Amino acid sequence: MATATMTSKGQLTVPKEIRDQLGLKPGDKVELVPSGDDRVVMRKRRTIELKELFGILPAGTVPLTLEGIDDAIAEEILEKDRRSRE
């Protein structure tokens, strides 16, 4: 198990073994996702190409606001990611 210590500024250094396992390099983004009680899942943020977004929303259900479109795309990406892990 790897351990990190939080600084007074709220910063953590990701231990080398975890960086290596996730393939993290300087400048990479990570997602921290609450996962029940006092657990957090950290995963490398995946870059999505524009062509992966085509056809992601069902026809006729596109929200009319930019915020609604962003939310719908985010939900579909998370669902697609969840399905790919099953």
Side-chain angles (χ1 to χ4, degrees):
M1 179 190 310
T3 302
T5 302
M6 185 175 296
T7 69
S8 61
K9 293 183 178 183
Q11 298 172 333
L12 295 172
T13 298
V14 179
K16 184 175 182 340
E17 64 187 89
I18 302 298
R19 293 192 313 262
D20 290 347
Q21 185 176 359
L22 294 177
L24 294 173
K25 300 178 297 296
D28 283 346
K29 303 281 187 190
V30 295
E31 295 175 339
L32 302 173
V33 183
S35 180
D37 298 332
D38 53 342
R39 296 177 186 265
V40 174
V41 173
M42 182 176 86
R43 60 184 176 209
K44 183 176 180 178
R45 187 171 186 187
R46 189 169 85 84
T47 303
I48 297 177
E49 295 185 27
L50 184 59
K51 65 182 177 183
E52 292 181 73
L53 298 177
F54 288 110
I56 199 168
L57 297 175
T61 62
V62 176
L64 299 178
T65 66
L66 289 178
E67 184 178 89
I69 292 169
D70 286 346
D71 291 344
I73 290 172
E75 287 175 22
E76 289 296 323
I77 289 170
L78 289 173
E79 178 62 23
K80 184 177 181 181
D81 183 57
R82 185 190 64 74
R83 286 191 306 262
S84 72
R85 294 175 189 270
E86 292 179 344

